[in-house]
Each structure stands twice: as C-alpha cells, then as structure tokens.
Amino acid sequence: MNKNTTESEWTLEIKPVSGWFNFHIKDVWRYRDLLFMFVRRDFVAVYKQTILGPFWFFLQPVLTTITFTIVFGNIAKIPTDGIPPILFYMSGIVCWGYFSDCLTRTSSTFVANASIFGKVYFPRLVSPLSNTISLLMKFGIQMILLSSFLIYFKLNGSSVNPNIYIFLTPYLIFLMAGLGLGFGIIVSSLTTKYRDLSFLVGFGVQLLMYATPVIYPISAVPEKYHWIILANPMTAIISAFRYAFLGAGTFNAGNLIYSSVFMVIILSIGIIIFNRVEKTFMDTV
Amino acid sequence: MSNVIEIKDLSKIYRLGIVGSKTIAEDLNRLWARIRGKEDPYLKIGETNRRSVKGKTEFIWALKDINFSIKDGERFGIIGKNGAGKSTLLKILSRVASPTKGSVKVRGRVASLLEVGTGFHPELTGRDNIFLNGSILGMTQYEIKSKFDSIVEFSGVERYIDTPVKRYSSGMYVRLAFAVAAHLEPEILIVDEVLAVGDAEFQKKCLSKMYDVSEKEGRTVLFVSHNLQAIKNLCQKSVILNNGELFAEGPTAETIDKYNKLIRDVKIDAKTDIDNKLNRRGKGMIRFSGIEVLGSDGNKKFNFELGESIRFRISYEVYKEMKGITIIIALLSGISRECLTLSNFELTKSTVPPGTRGEAEIEFPDIYIKPGEYPLYFELIDSELNGYSKDVLDDLTAPIVISGGSNVKNSDFHPNKPSGYFAIPSRVIINEINSHSFYNEAL
C-alpha cells in the first residue's frame, strides 16, 4: 500500500483532551441500538422480584397525593384554584416526579456506571439519554392514572376543563426531559471530581419543588414574589400542564418560551461539560 | 503490510493521593496558567513511575513518550511487570482513558476486552444479556441477531438461555460472556490478560480463539500479559514496558530475553556489583559483600554438567547485632519461578556484634537437576528467621547453567524429554529376560 494513501485512512485518532466542542453526536447515533437496549434493560429489570411490580408506579403518586391533600389541602388549607385537590396535586406530582427522576437518575451517571465506563468505550451520553427515555414509561402509566381520575371527576360534575392545549403535552414532556437531563449531566460531570454535589442533589431537588407551583397555584403567591417563582423554568411547564388538563390558572406563552430557552441553554452547557468530562473521568472518579 | 496502529509520544500522567481541598487549589492554579497561556504547571514535576521508590511529588508518569506501531494482521504482545503501564496503555487504546500527551492513530474497528461480561445484568435472561452485552461492545441489533445461534452454541448454555443469569454458575456466566466477545468481528482485537481467568480449559479456549481470529481471519490482535509463556505462544512481536517507558520492541523471543535480563539485572561475576538496589530486600542489618559460584576445584564457573558439584563462596558484613546467622540458597526455575531450596544452613547460633565480617563456602555435591538455566536466590537472616534482619538477593542473572553431560551415572535422564525438575540417578538391581513364553504356562 502506498504511504500517501494510507495517511488519510485512519479511522480514529486518540488525542489528549482539548477544546470544549469535540462532540460525538454521530457516535451517539451509531450507538442507538445500545440506547434501545439500555431502555429495555430498565423496563425489564426494574421491578423484577417485587410482588407488586409496575403497580408501584400507581401507588407512589396515589400515596403522595393523599398525603399532600391531607397536609397542604386540609391542614394548611392552601387554595387549589377551585380544582379538586386530588387532581391538582396529582397533576403537579406526576410532572414534577418525571423531572426530578430524570435529574437525580442522570446526576449519578458517572458514579453509577463507573464499572462499565472503565471497561468499554461507547458515547457516555447514551446512558443519561436512556434514563430519560425509560422514565417515560413510569410517566406514561401515571398519566393513565391521572386521566382516570380526571374522567371520574368530570363525570361527577367538577369544574375541570381539559382543552385544546392538551396537544402541547409532548412538547412539555420534551421540555421537562431536557431540563432534567441538562441539570443532571451538569451535576454528574461535577460529581466525578467533587463528590460533595451528590449530597446536594437529593435535598436540592426536594427544596426546588417548593419553589415550583406543585403544591400551590401561582395565584396563591404574593405578587412581589412572582418573579422568583417564574424564574424557575419548571413553573411555566407545570402551569401549562395544569391549564391543559384541568383548565386551571392561565396559559402564558411568554413564560413557556422562557422555559424553552432556559432548557436549550442548560442542555447545551450540560452536553459541553459532559462531553469534556467523559474523556477524563476515569482518572478522577 | 501497513500499520493499523501508530502510537506517537504517548504519555499519561496520574495524580496520586486523594481528591480534596488541595485539588481545587491545584485546579485553580492550572486554570490560571491556562488563562496566561502557559503550560500546565503540574505536568513538569511528574516522575517516572517506580512504585517501589517513594516519590517527591504526587504526580507520576504512568506512560512516558511511548512510540511504536503495529502492522496489519499481527499478533502483538505487551509485556511488563505490575505497574509498568500496560493497563494504562490498554485503557487509552480502548478510549476509556485519555492520554495527557501524544496520539494514537487507529485504522479499523477496535474491540477491546478488558473484561468479559461488561454490563451483564443479573436479572436479565441469557438471551437479553447477549443483546445487551453485544450492544455495549458495539455490535448492532442486526449483527447480534444474525450471530445469536452461533453465540449460544459456542457458550454451551442453550438450555438456560431464558433463565436470568444470576442463576448461572460462574463458569456458565463466563462462557456466555466470552461467547459474545468471541463473536465480535473487529479489525483490531485488544485483549487483557484478566480475560484469561477461569479454568485451564477456558484459558486455552480463549488463547486458541485469539489465535484463530488472527490466523484464519487475518485480524490484528493486541494481547497484554505478564504471563510470558502465553505471549511467547501467541505473539510474533512484542514490546516491553518498564516504569511507564518503552524498554524494548521486537520479535517476541528477543524481547522476552530482554525482559528476563531486565527483571534479573543483577549479575554476579568477577565484578559483581552487589550494592545494586534492584532485586535486593532487607534493612541493612547484615549485607552480602560478595558471592562467587565455583566448581569443585575452587575455580569460578557458571556452566555445570549434570552430576557435578557446585560451590558458593559467600562473604558478608554485619552492621547491627544479629542473633545468629542463617544462609538460604535456592535455585529459581524458569518463568514460573518455582523455587528449589538447596540449603538452609545455620552459620552460627551465637550473637554476632556489628562490624563482623564472615565468609562461607558451601558445596552441593552431585547436582541432579534437569539441564537448564537457573537464576539464583540468596538470603541471610538471623536464627529466629526474623524477617526484619534479612538481606535478600533475588533472581540473579548469570545464572547457573546445567547441561546433560558425560558423567551422567546411569541416569534415566534424557536431555530432550520433559522430565520435571530432577534427574535422579538410578541403579539397576534386577534385570532378567526369560525367553520361555508365558502363553505356554497356562496349560
């Protein structure tokens, strides 16, 4: 073989980590089968050897909803915009649950997968991506639960008005997945070196919930604090979701655009950091 | 043939110790250096990776300026002691870790087996795990589907294919995992020695599979091990890594010779430098000051014939009080280093004060061990065999060579037959040959 022709035929060059923008998006696409296998693994393995199986997906939001109804509705008497408290809380819990699951699961990507990552190369982004996808199953099942409650209350004449905005749901899910993934991979990248952050994530997410209208409507927040609540990108998403399914509150397109921009920025920052860390984390984790 | 892997100035630095507040300070320092456009200040102070010597800094070069290339279809070995940098090199080639400097160019698809069964999920069935593991190793669904039957057959666990792998015996587990790996069809296969765990039969299967992959399918195989025998059997060419640096490169037979010299680089001859620190252990309470190997006539000699006598003349110096002195002399054998202790001789029982010099000459008459090269092992220790007071010279070169000779007295030993370690002389007591046929006796 001629030397000149061989020079150009290298399929791969391994070099020191340099720059922040060497992405392997093509690689991620090449490994889509692996993404599918990871999702499948999660589906099959998650409730093996549990007695109730996927029933846990129901039990979790139901029990939380009951607790919230008692504590925040009956004891604290926080208003719910005139909507049956059960529907109000459950819609918030289902949405917030998906977002926080995405975030916490993704944030342990490197630490949890260190044994695999240390032995085989594949685009690491496949792992957190598969998380957000497999969590959709849980979200989907919980949506069925929410819909059944919705129909039940509607038939009993409650003042809930599902409307055309329901068709926005896929986009809202996309936003939540993007935000959860973005925050998650930022945290996961940083925890490889500074393990302290993993302690923060658990209760940080918990606290963040109270800065999001999950247990209260925006209308219950004093006017002067609105900007704080609205700065939270999850606010617009959960409000839009409630408006679409329950007809509660108002729909504000501007806030939703803000959330979308926020998601794009966070996800971009996340991917850039993640991409950088995935090459060096074996030395630090 | 063209190069499929070209490694150029490859270096990797590791930071020892723990990650703590100091790390943040260093990170900031590094960031500051980068802002000013300067080189990473911590890269300059890296040290050679010698684990036995305590370093001055926390940064060491796990690999330093490695250069070599591998040609298409070669079976290539990487040899080195523990900590020589083998695994680091492997990790870089597998893209699991990144180099600090330098580059590696690769042509073709690489599959690396640093372990079998990566990502196996215990709750999933054998079938699911084949797909999962295959995807992790980079196969597409379609590829796995088309090879599925062959994988199952190779693994020999057909009956349990729909059982969760957590119910498998460890042998079945490894076989299934290896079966998946064996069906990868990369242009370049990188295999770590940890793969060769399991029973002898399985190891043989692994090695012969690697041989087949290279010989029949013309693929390039990179094999990493410190099992010299395996490398010798498998690889045509190899490199030696030592303390993170490339020590030698070439045909395997040559590099293994060099490796043997490397690990036994204390020579004893007329000008023995016994102060050499390598291969020597001890606290300096007592030290060998000279070792000579002599024939029975008292002249220096290294080559002996089977059945000859060997003498060792040992001199030593005592630096701290010793409660008696015992000398141990042993021959080491070949690659696996099994030890044959020749002597465990108490030179004195009484307490020896510092400043004492001693000399001893010990003879081993009529050595009947299999011809070959034997590195030597010497140890001085007190009578209580207290490890604290010892001086050990291990694995010395200029080893004794014993050859089958003319004075083999009636030995059954045949130089070219495998016969264990010993060639013990024998004597015929009865040797009758009766020509009367036993067929007739029964009648």
Side-chain angles (χ1 to χ4, degrees), chain B residues 226-276:
Chain B
H226 55 220
N227 180 348
L228 297 184
Q229 201 56 52
I231 295 246
K232 218 172 187 170
N233 293 343
L234 189 75
C235 305
Q236 302 128 331
K237 276 185 77 182
S238 49
V239 291
I240 303 174
L241 295 181
N242 187 39
N243 296 333
E245 292 170 31
L246 193 69
F247 181 78
E249 178 188 0
T252 300
E254 285 173 29
T255 48
I256 285 189
D257 275 353
K258 285 182 188 159
Y259 181 71
N260 280 334
K261 292 214 173 80
L262 170 73
I263 60 172
R264 299 179 187 131
D265 59 356
V266 182
K267 295 184 170 63
I268 45 166
D269 50 25
K271 291 175 188 162
T272 302
D273 177 16
I274 256 184
D275 282 334
N276 199 324

Side-chain angles (χ1 to χ4, degrees), chain A residues 54-91:
Chain A
F55 187 65
W56 283 108
F57 287 148
F58 289 111
L59 211 58
Q60 224 174 307
V62 168
L63 291 180
T64 319
T65 304
I66 293 171
T67 314
F68 281 9
T69 308
I70 294 169
V71 175
F72 300 114
N74 295 356
I75 300 175
K77 301 210 190 315
I78 296 172
T80 55
D81 269 357
I83 295 170
I86 290 186
L87 285 180
F88 183 86
Y89 293 125
M90 192 177 278
S91 57

Side-chain angles (χ1 to χ4, degrees), chain A residues 6 9-14 16 33-34 37 40 44-45 48-49 117-118 120-121 193-194 279 282-283, chain B residues 12 24 27 92 94-96 98-99 102-108 121 123-124 128 135-136 140-141 166:
Chain A
T6 61
E9 282 174 28
W10 298 113
T11 45
L12 172 70
E13 189 171 1
I14 302 167
D33 281 343
L34 180 61
M37 285 314 301
R40 196 184 132 80
V44 176
K48 278 261 166 117
Q49 280 207 357
F117 286 1
V120 183
Y121 170 80
K193 206 161 192 183
Y194 312 110
K279 290 173 194 133
M282 270 321 291
D283 309 336
Chain B
K12 171 95 188 162
I24 296 179
D27 282 351
I92 291 174
S94 320
R95 298 173 72 190
V96 165
S98 290
S103 69
V104 182
K105 287 179 184 168
V106 182
R107 193 197 324 276
H121 195 291
E123 297 286 355
L124 298 184
D128 288 339
S135 319
I136 289 178
T140 61
Q141 292 282 81
K166 65 176 175 181

